[in-house]
Amino acid sequence: MTYIPNTEADRAAMLDVIGAKRIEDLFSDVPADKRFPKLNLPPALSEIELARYFQELAEQNLDTSHALNFLGAGAYQHYIPAAINHIILRSEFYTAYTPYQPEVSQGTLTAIYEYQSLVCQLTGMDAANASMYDGSTATAEAALMAARLTHRDKIVLSSLVHPEYRDVVKTFTQGLDLPIVTTAAKGGLSDMDALRAAVDDQTACVVVQYPNFFGAIEDLGAAGEIAHAKGALLIAVVDPMALGLLKTPGDFGADIVVGDGQAMGWGLNFGGPYLGMFACRKEHMRQMPGRLVGKTVDSQGRRGFVLTLQAREQHIRREKATSNICTNEALMALAATVYLSLVGKNGLKRIAELCYHKAHYAAAEIAKLPGYSPANGAPFFKEFAVRTPKPPAQINAALLKQGIVGGYDLGKAYPAAANTLLLCVTELHTKSDIDKLVAALKSD
């Protein structure tokens, strides 16, 4: 039974715990004139008028179909083949809910199984789950999984793992007595000497992003050697699009691979929902969180699919559960499955090559501008950091006036990287798009 405080003393006690004096203090972030509004609806509109009204509201948003976009930092604009929407918007996929009687949902299970198989091929891992909420929650769950597997409590994070992912790891581990050590960066890459010094016999895992948040390509092999020398696991946080060109984390000995699959056939969507990828080696799969679809045969020898290797609804076991993640991003996983099936192995490689070459062209042209220079000399994939002659916020404001969404201000998360802009270039950008950006930066 849920307890609802119903006395003034109850409410006062709860407010005291969170450091608030009055209920009204909880709404302090809402402008005073907007709090507790009275119901004051305008006159009703016709359907035609209402459609026009909402269209006018929508036009106030600046989206990537109306502007050139060079912003990445974890959410990426790639081409989405038209066939994806035609498939995922079919009612049996679009309106389906979590299959509580999974064996009768063979279509859903088949699609998830295909998704899992593709993620394994992409990452070089043996098993993948049915997906998680996003890249950040997948990273946090991977760290918890490593602690369960190793019976250790220390988590070592490279500072070049996405800062918001690191925040989510900290949130997930609150109250669990799992100390987190964040290691330094050097020259746009994880400092391997700092990583080596941080890893000891109590370390459960080492978490490295590939490519990292600055866009640079990390040496996963070196990180893996450092982790495994002390009996810790290596967790790689990946951009799946980069795996069309780079060696898989599995080739470097990664134990768990996570990431966000948003780039594979899913739009920016104002920040979500996204797709958390999660894969691991076979020997670790029983501790993998979330759902796992397996292939079997029925009593008549026909192929069938089931949820496997964990008790159904195991998430309701509270502290005894492997994870409290109780569902998966099935629609996004389906979009990624369709995307990878459409572009194929060679297509994904070609897309990755286009990202790589276009990003390097952009970086070279920007480096020619007065006051601009590469922030580091590390190899990169589709994102790169550049030092700027002015504060990035000022540069981005000037770019926006010319219909260009600029890069991410690295100084927000990395004080040492003040006046440094993180730019992203994908296969969608043409040479003229890049030249327009360069010209705008030059004129600013």
Side-chain angles (χ1 to χ4, degrees), residues 297-379:
V297 293
D298 66 11
S299 59
Q300 300 178 39
R302 297 174 300 186
R303 184 181 72 163
F305 298 92
V306 295
L307 293 184
T308 189
L309 288 184
Q310 56 182 253
R312 184 177 299 167
E313 309 304 345
Q314 64 93 31
H315 54 276
I316 66 173
R317 300 175 65 226
R318 300 174 69 86
E319 72 278 2
K320 294 181 181 179
T322 301
S323 165
N324 288 311
I325 296 289
C326 58
T327 187
N328 67 287
E329 298 287 3
L331 195 66
M332 286 96 253
L334 177 62
T337 304
V338 177
Y339 178 84
L340 291 172
S341 301
L342 285 172
V343 302
K345 181 178 180 180
N346 291 332
L348 187 64
K349 179 182 178 182
R350 180 58 178 152
I351 292 168
E353 288 175 340
L354 287 171
C355 292
Y356 177 89
H357 290 298
K358 292 183 177 188
H360 280 74
Y361 170 74
E365 292 300 303
I366 292 172
K368 297 175 184 177
L369 300 177
Y372 288 86
S373 63
N376 55 70

Side-chain angles (χ1 to χ4, degrees), residues 48-195:
I48 294 174
E49 291 171 322
L50 197 62
R52 179 177 296 172
Y53 171 73
F54 280 110
Q55 181 64 39
E56 290 172 352
L57 287 181
E59 290 300 326
Q60 294 179 29
N61 292 323
L62 179 65
D63 57 51
T64 54
S65 63
H66 292 84
L68 271 179
N69 175 40
F70 292 92
L71 178 62
Y76 301 106
Q77 186 184 6
H78 288 275
Y79 180 69
I80 302 173
I84 290 178
N85 267 359
H86 286 283
I87 295 173
I88 68 173
L89 294 181
R90 288 178 62 92
S91 60
E92 61 266 40
F93 291 124
Y94 193 64
T95 63
Y97 187 58
T98 295
Y100 282 108
Q101 298 296 327
E103 291 76 17
V104 301
S105 303
Q106 287 296 300
T108 297
L109 296 184
T110 302
I112 292 174
Y113 183 84
E114 295 299 332
Y115 163 78
Q116 293 174 176
S117 301
L118 289 166
V119 170
C120 287
Q121 292 179 42
L122 196 60
T123 59
M125 292 286 102
D126 301 318
N129 71 12
S131 74
M132 310 200 80
Y133 295 136
D134 55 22
S136 64
T137 54
T139 303
E141 289 282 357
L144 295 178
M145 176 177 162
R148 292 193 301 272
L149 286 165
T150 61
H151 304 287
R152 296 177 177 186
D153 59 7
K154 183 178 178 181
I155 298 167
V156 175
L157 285 166
S158 164
S159 62
L160 295 181
V161 171
H162 196 305
E164 293 175 1
Y165 287 25
R166 289 187 278 119
D167 286 344
V168 173
V169 174
K170 293 174 184 176
T171 299
F172 269 51
T173 55
Q174 285 186 78
L176 296 179
D177 196 23
L178 295 174
I180 296 174
V181 175
T182 303
T183 62
K186 184 178 181 181
L189 294 167
S190 299
D191 186 334
M192 291 300 161
D193 290 333
L195 202 65

